[in-house]
Amino acid sequence: MAESGSSVEFSGTLTSSNLPPARTRIFKIIVIGDSGVGKTCLTYRFCAGRFPEKTEATIGVDFRERLVEIDGEKIKIQLWDTAGQERFRKSMVQHYYRNVHAVVFVYDVTNAASFRSLPAWIEECKQHALGTEVPRILVGNKCDLQDSVQVGTDVAQQFADTHSMPLFETSAKNPNSQEDGGNSDHVEAIFMTVAHKLKSQKPLVLSQPPVGSGGTVNLSKGGTDGGEGSRSWGCSGGC
Amino acid sequence: MKRLKNKKQKAGVEVNGNGSVTREPDCGRKQKLSEINQALISDPVDIETLRRAAASKGGLLTDELRRKVWPKLLNINVYDLPHKPGRDVRENHKDFNQVVLDVTRSMKRFPKGMPASERAVLQEQMTDIILEVLKRTPQLHYYQGYHDVAVTLLLVVGERMTIAMLDTLSNHHLRDFMDPTMDSTKHILNYLMPILEQVDRELHDFMIRAEVGTIFALSWLITWYGHVLSDFKHTMRLYDFFLASHPLMPIYLAATIVLHREKEVKKTECDMAMVHHLLSRIPQDLPYELLIGQAQDLFDQYPPSLLAKRAALQPRKSLSISTFQAFQLATLHQRPDTVLQRLTKAQGSSTSRQAPRQSGLEAALPQEQGRLWGKGNRMVKMAVWGLSATLGAAVFAVAQTAMDWGPEVLLQLF
Ligand SMILES: Nc1nc2c(ncn2[C@@H]2O[C@H](COP(=O)(O)OP(=O)(O)OP(=O)(O)O)[C@@H](O)[C@H]2O)c(=O)[nH]1
Ligand SMILES: [Mg+2]
């Protein structure tokens, strides 16, 4: 399982017939952040296409996946949805930090404490040898609750810049951004952005506010230099 | 949960909780019922028989019996139950936010047909119960999943009995999970692979190669499967078993589940994600009775001490394991409920371990109902008699618990 330079790996023989053919590339993305910020909802929305009616506390690690096509290549995106409660971090979730290709940090825009926890989560990642070379993004969730926002976009953007991460603000519940007539799905775009990033290992620019048509997201590769935070491949404040 | 309780009432017969296997012939069931009732009125209570009944086919058969036997398995005096927690239990509690977050998201654990208002009442109780138990023993730390245990108990035995049971469980069977860190929990999980190694070397080696770890079984262990089973009757059946067993038994059951799925596992790609994915999704139609029997066999064949030696498990003090023997011994000297009632009344509250307790039937009743009872309210007495007459023995125990469950649970049960 040990891989270094390449951030993708090839799967071996697959058993079930509805799985993609062998050698489908798998992108493993771990999703972390405080309990209740909406990690389960976000991963569920991306993999099942809708907001889950009922979520339950995540105990340990849950696993979701989805097959996508990027530039004609079928790629399996594996999302590791982790438990938020602090006690699970240290001795439990550890095991799953290994071999992930990207990290998604999530906070809840209506919960300042979840934003204040971010440095601890980032530190946690570093301890598991997931430094800045691994693509990392920051997601502020629950943007639909506009009246109870506690973490402003500017503060979050500053933080993201400091840590060289792109920032995305979204809502797992109602991810359609208002500007483009509610047609696109931000959550979709966010994970697809990570996938594109991984596929190319070149920085990406969201050319437009993502336009969704039939579940596909149009993303175009950017030509700028490597992974420098939101400036180069992020978007923010879109909700 | 499939509206088990409502159905039970409509059909006018008790539905047993023996899961997916075919029912025992009625005579076997009848005999088991009478054995259990006999064990309950023996003096001292015949705890060995109760334990055997809880583990053997069908478990404790009915909710009615669970309410009487569960407390005995945990050495709880039903006439000396803790009070409902006051509002102040929520004040300045470090775990308050997390508990509320988890309780709010526990909707799936309630029967589908339950009115939202009723569920809301139970969820409030759940929060109070958890906070109360944590407050009693400051060394205990809340973990996500603890609420799944609380709700299982609450749906069967009602608020005050749940406090008593959860209190005992937290200090014994669940104790290792409640440390400030999960290191002890990890230690308990470490028993899983050695069991597999003893039984199916090939499967064991496959899982080692896949580096799957044991986190797939974490929620099974710390919630006694309450978090992962969607049919409540299976959950209750397993709780019968675990309440009567060694604290490590959930791990032995985990082993039997993995072994049961051996073929599927070996066919999977030998990759952490794939194997974790497969195993963490527990099939809902497992042959529970069979697996319970196998778990017991495994336990007898490869007891924890032997595993610890063979697998060179790092010695670590497990409070759950080290206090288990004494705990089991203590359960041997329980008096039947009729005697307990008399004794508890006579002793008064001064001897209670926890300060906010009263004794006797009146005390065990919620204030208002207690008064009604005292005045000899005929309606209440008759209702209680109606419940208990069919059961024969331990009339007062039924009366007490029935009243104690409070109207909302009564509504749900009867
Ligand atoms: N309004 C709103 N609520 C959300 C959104 N995302 C999640 N929630 C709610 O927030 C609560 C927590 O969501 P989860 O996805 O379970 O949180 P989590 O981060 O997985 O929490 P843990 O599993 O405990 O770590 C749930 O009640 C969700 O319904 C959102 O975008 N908008
Ligand atoms: Mg979750």
Side-chain angles (χ1 to χ4, degrees), chain A residues 36 38-41 55-59 62 81-84, chain B residues 105:
Chain A
K39 300 179 294 297
T40 300
C41 290
T55 57
E56 291 189 84
T58 306
I59 298 175
D62 275 342
D81 171 22
T82 62
Chain B
R105 290 182 291 173

Side-chain angles (χ1 to χ4, degrees), chain B residues 30-45:
Chain B
K30 256 188 204 141
Q31 193 188 339
K32 190 169 186 181
L33 284 171
S34 92
E35 269 172 24
I36 294 172
N37 278 313
Q38 197 57 44
L40 281 167
I41 55 172
S42 303
D43 192 3
V45 170

